[in-house]
Amino acid sequence: MSKQSSLPIALPKTRMEWVKVMVTVPRPSAEALAVHNRQEKLKILEDNVQQHRQTLIQWIADQGLAPEVANIGAPTNLGVFFVKCTPHVAQELQHAPGVADVLLADDCAINPLHN
Amino acid sequence: MIRFIALRKVPLAVQRNLQDLPAEAKRAAVVKTASEMDESAMLQSLGLRYVPTGQSAPYVEHHFQQLDWVGAYVVETTSPEVAARARVLLEPEYVIIPDIQLALPRPTLLQRYRRRPTPPELWPVESGIAEAHKKGFLGEGVMVGVLDTGCDADHIELRHKVVDFRYVPLDPTSDPVRACRGFDVDGHGTHVCGIIAGEHLGIAPKVDLMVASVIESETLRTSLERVVIALDWMLSKFRLEENLDKPAIINMSLGFRDASITPDQFDGILKGLKQILTTLVIDFDVLPIVAVGNDGPDTMRAPAYFTESMSVGAVDAMLRPAIFSGGGISPVTRQVEPDIVGYGIDIISSLERDIHNHSIYARMSGTSMAAPYVTGIAALVASANPQLRGASLRQYLTSQALNLNLPAERVGVGLARFIAP
């Protein structure tokens, strides 16, 4: 998966502000997974995202960015996890190894669709 | 909308020859005969639906109310022909006052009941639900996930089953997901779950129900993270041997509208949802069924308009598209939405229990109600043939839909229904 720059150029500059981003990692293709059953797919995807997450945690520490990271969420079977960090770190994550995409994921209004 | 009020020309006491009675007796006699107005059945034969006073049917295009005490009818219709025929019907006995903005208070949209209405309201014959139940297909062996405001697991409609429930906190990165007894402080999720799996009113009462509370009732806010965490939990069920090959359906009666969030947030949500839906559908054969939205024609909400979602619009009991039901060309795929429709007007189902622990029922309208209808139908089909999962289940539903001979951007391929596979 190619890395895309998905974050806006102008993020708040204040270092104390936190944002929530969704980090997407490279994953096996659907074709590669197709030969496995659901249980096996879960294991493969879980191991994959866990590995990338660990790599990212190490990179954050190596870059001295840990003070600007509030939390790194648990890995999910969907090949993503969430990071609460400063806007500065959110920008930097786009250049981290093993990161396919970084998307803004703050909460927003939704409408249950009844009248 | 054409609206008129028809007022009785001759007082009921005179018409019923009661004018010589003493005042109290006359009043009692008038009260007794007030509801015996003769024109109701004839108005219904014109296609006007009777709406009891105190209820609301803002999305039923042709309806009338009967005001027994003053001896009047209030007629609303979008059809000039129906209005004209109603006037002809009523004019001999009634004074017609056209186009008056009624001062009647607009009833709340939610008609609540303290108990399940009797006789029980059956799903229309076209749905095939009665046929499915008669054949013993009740959704057994099918996993259904619901992302919503929650679910009152102790409601009389749902307490017969184990509702696997998770509360996903506002900040899942910081706070743990909670496994607890299902609750719902809004009612929306309980209504949706009742449509799908209610013991008496539900379409597929035997499904394995998983419910994630991901929406706050007061703020009506959620986040991509809450949705992802909820879906992740549902997927984790496939770790169990007994679930490995079960058909799985996820109902989302919710939608993001770009008007309510920043463009950057919306972009993130779109990309995130797309990725997640792809994983669900391609890797795990899950069928996501999503309400298309209630903002009317030529509008729709994410995630309904992604290819991976089966988007659902709403029709009424007469199979007419609801005036609020969304649809049109998807801004992402350029395909026509919705994919299919379900009943979504005045649907009776469970609501969260009241303070006295009464299991409340309510009528609600929306594509929120149509989506669980389709989910229930899908569950019945999958329980009849567990080989149908994900894309194949979707294809089957599409191929067996009842053609409504209406534009696809209003009704998709038609009404979802159960036809035994």
Side-chain angles (χ1 to χ4, degrees), chain A residues 20 22 24 27 30 38-39 41-42 46 71 73 76-77 82 84 107-108 110-115, chain B residues 171 173 188 220-222 225 232 238-239 244 246 255-256 261 265 275 283-284 294 301 364-365 368:
Chain A
K20 181 69 70 73
M22 183 171 89
T24 309
R27 47 151 281 171
R38 281 166 164 172
Q39 209 174 42
K41 285 178 189 176
L42 275 179
E46 194 177 58
N71 212 321
T76 72
N77 300 309
F82 292 82
K84 189 173 178 181
D107 78 320
C108 57
I110 195 172
N111 300 84
L113 298 171
H114 77 279
N115 294 288
Chain B
D171 187 2
T173 306
H188 182 274
L220 291 182
R221 296 183 77 84
T222 188
E225 184 178 12
D232 182 60
F238 292 136
R239 287 208 183 92
L244 205 54
K246 279 184 181 175
F256 294 94
I261 51 183
Q265 279 180 312
Q275 150 124 10
D283 292 329
F284 292 99
N294 291 353
R301 300 193 186 189
M364 290 172 86
S365 299
S368 274

Side-chain angles (χ1 to χ4, degrees), chain A residues 51-80:
Chain A
Q51 189 184 344
H52 282 98
R53 184 175 175 274
Q54 281 304 119
T55 302
L56 184 65
I57 290 174
Q58 188 60 52
W59 180 83
I60 288 172
D62 292 344
Q63 299 295 312
L65 296 173
E68 295 184 61
V69 176
N71 212 321
I72 300 177
T76 72
N77 300 309
L78 290 154
V80 305

